[in-house]
Amino acid sequence: MSERKPPGVTFESWVDRQIRTAQERGEFDDLPGAGKPLPGAGAPLDEQWWVKEQIRREGLSGDALLPTPLRLRREVERLPSTVAELTSEQSVRDLAAELNRRIVEHLRFPEGPRVAVAPVDVEDVVRRWRADRAAPESDGPKPDEPEPVPEPPRKPHRRFPRWFRR
C-alpha cells in the first residue's frame, strides 16, 4: 500500500485490488500460521482478550495489573514464603525495609481503591525467619505435644440500628 486511493474509486474496490495484486506477487505465501485455524476461534469473546494474551505470551504474572494497594497487600501476604528462600538475615531485613518503603510511599500519595495496607514489622519478619530456619521440617505435630484443640464457634453479636439505641 504505497499509493493513495485515487479519487472516484470506491474504497472497497481499491482495497480489493491492492490485496489481489499482492496475492499475485506472492506476498502472502509462506506466512507463519498459513493453513492453520485462527487461535481462539469459537471461544467466547472476552473484553480484555488482548491483555490476557500479552500476559500469557510474555509469561508475566497478573499481579502487575493490580492497583497499587492490592499489589502491596499481596506482597505482605506472600512475605513469609518470599523470605524463606533468602539465606542471610541482612537480605531479609533489606527486603522487608524495601516493602515498607513502598507501603509508606503509597500511604503518602494514595492511588487506587481504599484498601488498608500497614507497614510490616521488620523485627517480627526476622524473628519468624529465624524460627522457620531453626525448626526442622515436619509434616505433623511432635509426638510429645498434644494436638491443638479448635476453638468453639462464637455466637455472632447482634447489632441494633442506631435509632434503636436512642
Side-chain angles (χ1 to χ4, degrees):
M1 286 186 35
S2 58
E3 60 190 68
R4 300 190 91 164
K5 180 181 85 66
V9 177
T10 64
F11 187 76
E12 185 174 349
S13 63
W14 180 72
V15 170
D16 290 337
R17 188 181 61 195
Q18 294 286 327
I19 292 172
R20 185 175 33 79
T21 57
Q23 284 176 335
E24 291 170 359
R25 288 190 304 253
E27 293 181 11
F28 297 130
D29 298 342
D30 301 326
L31 289 176
K36 297 179 185 173
L38 294 174
L45 185 60
D46 186 17
E47 188 175 304
Q48 299 288 323
W49 66 269
W50 62 275
V51 175
K52 293 177 182 176
E53 178 63 26
Q54 183 74 18
I55 288 172
R56 186 194 60 76
R57 187 173 47 242
E58 297 292 329
L60 300 174
S61 170
D63 291 350
L65 301 176
L66 290 175
T68 303
L70 295 177
R71 190 171 54 240
L72 289 172
R73 194 168 206 187
R74 185 167 285 180
E75 286 184 44
V76 168
E77 290 172 0
R78 293 180 179 169
L79 188 62
S81 62
T82 304
V83 298
E85 301 169 359
L86 301 177
T87 56
S88 71
E89 183 177 322
Q90 186 59 42
S91 59
V92 172
R93 288 182 185 277
D94 291 344
L95 183 70
E98 172 61 23
L99 179 59
N100 277 343
R101 183 194 63 77
R102 288 186 285 135
I103 290 173
V104 168
E105 182 179 310
H106 167 69
L107 292 174
R108 285 187 183 148
F109 304 105
E111 61 182 41
R114 291 185 179 185
V115 177
V117 181
V120 296
D121 183 10
V122 176
E123 294 304 320
D124 186 41
V125 172
V126 171
R127 193 177 314 110
R128 286 184 191 172
W129 177 79
R130 283 185 194 146
D132 289 346
R133 290 183 61 87
E137 296 291 326
S138 64
D139 291 337
K142 295 179 183 174
D144 57 340
E145 291 183 15
E147 184 138 340
V149 179
E151 293 182 23
R154 291 197 280 176
K155 182 179 172 184
H157 179 69
R158 183 168 180 223
R159 296 194 62 151
F160 292 100
R162 190 164 62 186
W163 60 267
F164 187 77
R165 288 179 256 160
R166 292 185 183 182

